[in-house]
Amino acid sequence: MTRSDGGRTPDELSLVLAQAVVNAVDAVGGYGGGVYLRSRTPGLLLMAVLAGLPGPLLRPWWQMHVNRPFPVAEAYRSNSPVYLGDAEDAMRRFPQLMAGLPFPFGSLYAPVTVGTAPVGVLVVLRYATRGVPVGGADRGRMEALARKLGRDLAALGAPAEWDGAPMVVRLPAATARPLRVGHFDWDIDGGTVTADDATRLILGHDPAEPPARTMEALTARLLPEDVHGLWTLGSTAARSAEGRVSRMSLWSPGGRPVLVEISGHGAPDRLTGVVLDPGAGPVVPDAADRVPHGILCHDRLGRITYVNGPAEEILGHTRAELIGRDMWAVLPWLANPAYEDHHRAAFFSDDPVYFLARRTPAHWLSVALYPGRDGVTVTLSPSGRPGRTPEPAAAPGTELGSSADSAAVLYRPVALAIALTEAVTARQVSAVVTEELLPAFGGRQLAIYLQNEGRLHLASETGFPKGFLDRFDGVGLDIRIPGVETLTSGRPLFFESMDQLADAYPGIPLDASVGARAFLPLIASGRPVGSCILGFDRPRGFSPEERTVLTALAGLIAQALERARRYDTESALARGLQEALLPHRLPVVDHVDTVGRYLSGTQDVEVGGDWYDVVETAAGLVLVIGDVQGHGVAAAATMGQLRSAVRAFALIGHEPQEIMGATNRLLIGLDPGQFASCCFVLLDPATGAFRAVRAGHPQPLLRHPDGRTEVLDLPGGVVLGVDPDASYPVTELRLAPGAVLALFTDGLVEKAGADIDEGIERLRSTLAAACRLPLAETADRIIGQARQDEDRPDDIALLMAARTAPAR
């Protein structure tokens, strides 16, 4: 593939990279991988090759800046490999990786160097090793292949760079048993047979054994019914005068189907035969068509390989329209970004994934994804829309599957699993369990206990007599009661009546109920979280299927509670961080009153990156407000750094445009890819003259002394963190005595489904109408109106300054 002038074509680079990825995935037992290479943009790596995974699902990771806290960037920066055995290992070292890919998978990253300079990173993804670190043999193979790739790139004689989207490569299928063909001759009248070694192997004979001379000996390891059928087949072929060819399938001693073809050729009682072992059993469409659920299979790149009959009916497409097509192209409703994480979970881990998907506005499907090394099997079943009145559960004591109504017990847990993925706090998890789990199984009572420092503490309850459960709050793990023993043993406990419970635990306090009880252990990744108690108002049995489903759901609940506990910890840390960083009081200066307010959003308990500050400097009074992209500890930390930087630059005496430019460059250096908006005002309290600079932030409002309120038109520049050479023009204005300047973040004026101009006009009207109120009451009125909206996706910061009228 070398040109006549000795140059290099793009195909040479692609071939070298693709071969390296395929070899690496095979060498360490992966299911996918890729190569990142340098790009023409300094500090930016681009994914050049992606193997074994659909390109669109990995689009957010096509680019990687070398300063980002991700293992690819770490391997490139340090020129040292990074090995992550499982999700816990990755969470400890690279939490941002797991925030975007929260699935149990392992990954290996080896830097690729040309000479001594790193040019890229070789990556392999594989199933998690569950607490076992990546072994030395796999490390050695990975690093050897990365070194070889570096040598191959150097041999191409051109810079190892990539420009554009990654090249997607299909991995070879998993190794399968080879196709085997055997031959034999059969004298059916005398019963003698001559068979080659391949036939003998297929039919279960060791090559070291003496050759079988009779058909009885050759077929001794087959099932009797197969032997009888084979003799019948031979007799039919021998009696045929036309040289009839007959075939039949039988089972080999290894349990695989094999095909036998016998030919008579018109010779009396003399037959020739062929035995074919295809190695792997093919999909049998007739069997799959009998399943009452839709079944669809696709490969690791998302191309559909099989569709059964019910799936055709459910999806409204024929097999011919689906097979061989990209799943997301032919079923665009599955390409919804809301479902992308579910598909990524199936590709990245070896655990099944369940979710609800809306095919049309009126039709919802229960979808299950069962991943494997060569593809994913998808099952589809019609389902009711989430949030509707629950389907009737099986009657107490009814065996699961004994009536049509009991099918709801299978469908409802899918809704529970979906709802649990959206629950963030422990309170939300408890609410989901109450709303979804109890109706599914006809329960009336629920209690959730959480384990902390060797004791169980009541976290949530519903349906029990008031105060009844208080006696069990704070019990130690050495007490013999079912709520403790289910956790310490890891075994669920089911009691079909209160009499059974009393017999098993003599003396245990009981409420007035006569119904059944289920005690479920809440264990997440081997760690005890707590226990869940389900109560029923009548005696009832628990079928094996119900016990299995309840136990599995307890695991989901435990995972959700553990996630909520970590989330609450991070949220408390972030809230504390923000409270520490926001000013506790504003400076008091002559001629100007200032007031600040902060209101958290309702859709996300994580802290935002909104901030405000007032700084008294030699040049005047600084008013600043900003909004860092995102939520959580990272956003709060970035916000604190920016606030400190602006304060420091202002106290040094820099001009407003210099302060904004320096803050912009600081953010780019701190966290490439992060950005923030900001509005900076330097006010002379004595004269009211002020200079303002704006970086992608909402325009301030100015209320004149007569109550007339307008939206200022500050020219401004781009948001901070995008362009290191950005400039920020200064606007000079004057704040008259009695006038009010209002700075705010976009959470105050943005509302889902409404134009932002409507929010700004609403704020302008509120500010104008409050012209006779003190400044603090005006701020409270504005925040009070915002608080009435229960659907606030973002935090809100408000900073107001009023120039006081001179004393008469």
Side-chain angles (χ1 to χ4, degrees), residues 788-806:
Q788 293 175 6
D789 188 355
E790 297 180 355
D791 186 18
R792 298 191 307 274
D794 203 357
D795 294 2
I796 294 171
L798 172 68
L799 177 61
M800 304 178 69
R803 184 145 179 260
T804 57

Side-chain angles (χ1 to χ4, degrees), residues 654-705:
H654 287 305
E655 293 296 315
Q657 67 270 28
E658 294 175 344
I659 292 174
M660 197 65 74
T663 306
N664 173 49
R665 292 187 292 274
L666 174 68
L667 178 57
I668 293 175
L670 282 174
D671 192 358
Q674 180 68 278
F675 61 84
S677 67
C678 184
C679 187
F680 179 98
V681 175
L682 179 59
L683 171 67
D684 183 344
T687 65
F690 69 86
R691 291 178 290 168
V693 181
R694 191 174 63 87
H697 201 80
Q699 298 279 6
L701 296 185
L702 177 62
R703 190 181 72 194
H704 296 277

Side-chain angles (χ1 to χ4, degrees), residues 598-604 606-610 627-631 745-748 750 791-797:
Y598 186 89
L599 181 63
S600 301
T602 60
Q603 290 187 4
D604 197 333
E606 286 188 299
V607 68
D610 299 31
D627 185 1
V628 176
Q629 172 206 24
H631 293 79
T745 56
D746 54 11
L748 185 60
E750 284 187 342
D791 186 18
R792 298 191 307 274
D794 203 357
D795 294 2
I796 294 171

Side-chain angles (χ1 to χ4, degrees), residues 686-764:
T687 65
F690 69 86
R691 291 178 290 168
V693 181
R694 191 174 63 87
H697 201 80
Q699 298 279 6
L701 296 185
L702 177 62
R703 190 181 72 194
H704 296 277
D706 60 2
R708 180 173 54 90
T709 305
E710 64 175 318
V711 180
L712 294 180
D713 186 15
L714 308 183
V718 299
V719 293
L720 306 175
V722 174
D723 181 5
D725 299 321
S727 60
Y728 299 94
V730 176
T731 302
E732 296 186 2
L733 295 168
R734 183 174 180 272
L735 191 65
V740 175
L741 181 67
L743 310 177
F744 54 90
T745 56
D746 54 11
L748 185 60
V749 293
E750 284 187 342
K751 187 176 181 180
D755 192 287
I756 190 172
D757 291 339
E758 297 178 10
I760 294 174
E761 176 57 28
R762 184 170 57 251
L763 174 60
R764 189 201 65 78

Side-chain angles (χ1 to χ4, degrees), residues 184-188 190-197 200 205 209-219 231 270:
F184 63 90
D185 293 311
W186 183 9
D187 179 355
I188 194 170
T192 59
V193 66
T194 303
D196 60 12
D197 289 342
R200 295 169 59 221
H205 292 264
E209 296 179 9
R213 299 301 183 186
T214 65
M215 181 55 75
E216 291 87 346
L218 185 64
T219 59
W231 274 93
R270 303 292 300 184

Side-chain angles (χ1 to χ4, degrees), residues 437-746:
L437 186 62
L438 286 183
F441 292 89
R444 296 293 182 270
Q445 298 168 318
L446 170 74
I448 293 179
Y449 285 83
L450 297 181
Q451 188 271 143
N452 184 33
E453 296 183 352
R455 294 186 176 274
L456 281 179
H457 298 277
L458 183 63
S460 174
E461 66 167 304
T462 183
F464 285 92
K466 184 177 181 179
F468 172 75
L469 295 178
D470 292 347
R471 71 196 73 189
F472 302 108
D473 191 13
V475 298
L477 299 185
D478 56 346
I479 304 299
R480 188 178 181 271
I481 57 175
V484 170
E485 292 199 346
T486 189
L487 178 62
T488 55
S489 68
R491 180 171 54 88
L493 302 174
F494 298 95
F495 300 97
E496 298 184 356
S497 68
M498 298 301 283
D499 290 339
Q500 279 191 359
L501 176 59
D503 291 342
Y505 294 88
I508 188 173
L510 302 175
D511 61 1
S513 171
V514 296
R517 288 285 186 274
F519 297 83
L520 307 174
L522 301 180
I523 299 175
S525 302
R527 293 187 297 273
V529 174
S531 57
C532 176
I533 305 173
L534 296 180
F536 304 84
D537 57 7
R538 289 182 293 175
R540 59 159 292 164
F542 297 93
S543 70
E545 292 87 351
E546 284 181 302
R547 294 173 186 240
T548 300
V549 171
L550 283 170
T551 304
L553 291 177
L556 291 178
I557 296 168
Q559 294 284 356
L561 287 169
E562 186 70 8
R563 185 176 65 248
R565 182 181 294 179
R566 292 195 300 266
Y567 196 94
D568 289 341
T569 300
E570 179 177 335
S571 177
L573 174 62
R575 294 291 177 196
L577 178 61
Q578 185 168 50
E579 290 176 3
L581 292 174
L582 287 175
H584 290 184
R585 63 182 182 84
L586 302 181
V588 178
V589 298
D590 294 336
H591 311 302
V592 175
D593 290 337
T594 57
V595 63
R597 296 289 186 268
Y598 186 89
L599 181 63
S600 301
T602 60
Q603 290 187 4
D604 197 333
V605 299
E606 286 188 299
V607 68
D610 299 31
W611 96 93
Y612 63 85
D613 202 0
V614 178
V615 186
E616 192 174 5
T617 73
L621 190 66
V622 169
L623 310 171
V624 61
I625 194 166
D627 185 1
V628 176
Q629 172 206 24
H631 293 79
V633 173
T638 302
M639 173 268 285
Q641 291 172 306
L642 293 187
R643 175 177 177 265
S644 299
V646 171
R647 173 178 282 267
F649 292 147
L651 290 172
I652 292 173
H654 287 305
E655 293 296 315
Q657 67 270 28
E658 294 175 344
I659 292 174
M660 197 65 74
T663 306
N664 173 49
R665 292 187 292 274
L666 174 68
L667 178 57
I668 293 175
L670 282 174
D671 192 358
Q674 180 68 278
F675 61 84
S677 67
C678 184
C679 187
F680 179 98
V681 175
L682 179 59
L683 171 67
D684 183 344
T687 65
F690 69 86
R691 291 178 290 168
V693 181
R694 191 174 63 87
H697 201 80
Q699 298 279 6
L701 296 185
L702 177 62
R703 190 181 72 194
H704 296 277
D706 60 2
R708 180 173 54 90
T709 305
E710 64 175 318
V711 180
L712 294 180
D713 186 15
L714 308 183
V718 299
V719 293
L720 306 175
V722 174
D723 181 5
D725 299 321
S727 60
Y728 299 94
V730 176
T731 302
E732 296 186 2
L733 295 168
R734 183 174 180 272
L735 191 65
V740 175
L741 181 67
L743 310 177
F744 54 90
T745 56
D746 54 11

